[in-house]
Amino acid sequence: MGQPVVHFEIIGQDPEKLQGYYAELFDWSIDANNPMKYGIVAREDNLNSDGVGIGGGVGTGPEGYAGHVTFYVEVPDVEASLAKAASLGGTRMMGPDEVMEGLVIGMFSDPEGHVIGVIQS
């Protein structure tokens, strides 16, 4: 059995503008009421009639970073996944980092430069 996609992320230079754009475009309820102003799209608010959908986030990256659109795959071990990605020709971008208690993330770029996240909870 494969590992599931559990989160999407849209990162840009103007998070408030992006949050408004995607809220209007897709009728998403986006909650950015947190210290990082990271806009959370709750899974429960993002389901089709069959109950299928994932949650995500819309936020900002470090100063000077243009941004990315990516998805996160749930893995049993972020470090092992980042090491395997690199061994297959990818490049580690960050991590593993514990972003909140019990939630560890990492990011890599694939051999063509696409940004992919891995998450362990």
Side-chain angles (χ1 to χ4, degrees), residues 61-75:
E63 175 115 12
Y65 180 65
H68 62 264
V69 175
T70 195
F71 59 87
Y72 284 78
V73 177
E74 185 175 21
V75 297

Side-chain angles (χ1 to χ4, degrees), residues 20-94:
Y21 175 83
Y22 284 104
E24 177 94 13
L25 179 64
F26 295 128
D27 199 28
W28 288 348
S29 174
I30 300 177
D31 180 6
N33 187 19
N34 58 69
M36 292 177 29
K37 304 274 190 246
Y38 185 79
I40 302 292
V41 179
R43 179 186 181 279
E44 298 76 26
D45 297 334
N46 194 29
L47 303 175
N48 68 12
S49 60
D50 293 327
V52 176
I54 63 172
V58 182
T60 188
E63 175 115 12
Y65 180 65
H68 62 264
V69 175
T70 195
F71 59 87
Y72 284 78
V73 177
E74 185 175 21
V75 297
D77 184 324
V78 168
E79 175 56 39
S81 295
L82 292 172
K84 184 174 183 178
S87 77
L88 294 171
T91 303
R92 181 188 303 242
M93 295 176 65
M94 64 163 279

Side-chain angles (χ1 to χ4, degrees), residues 36 78 94-106 120-121:
M36 292 177 29
V78 168
M94 64 163 279
D97 291 330
E98 187 169 23
V99 294
M100 60 178 44
E101 188 175 334
L103 186 65
V104 179
I105 66 170
Q120 172 187 335
S121 59

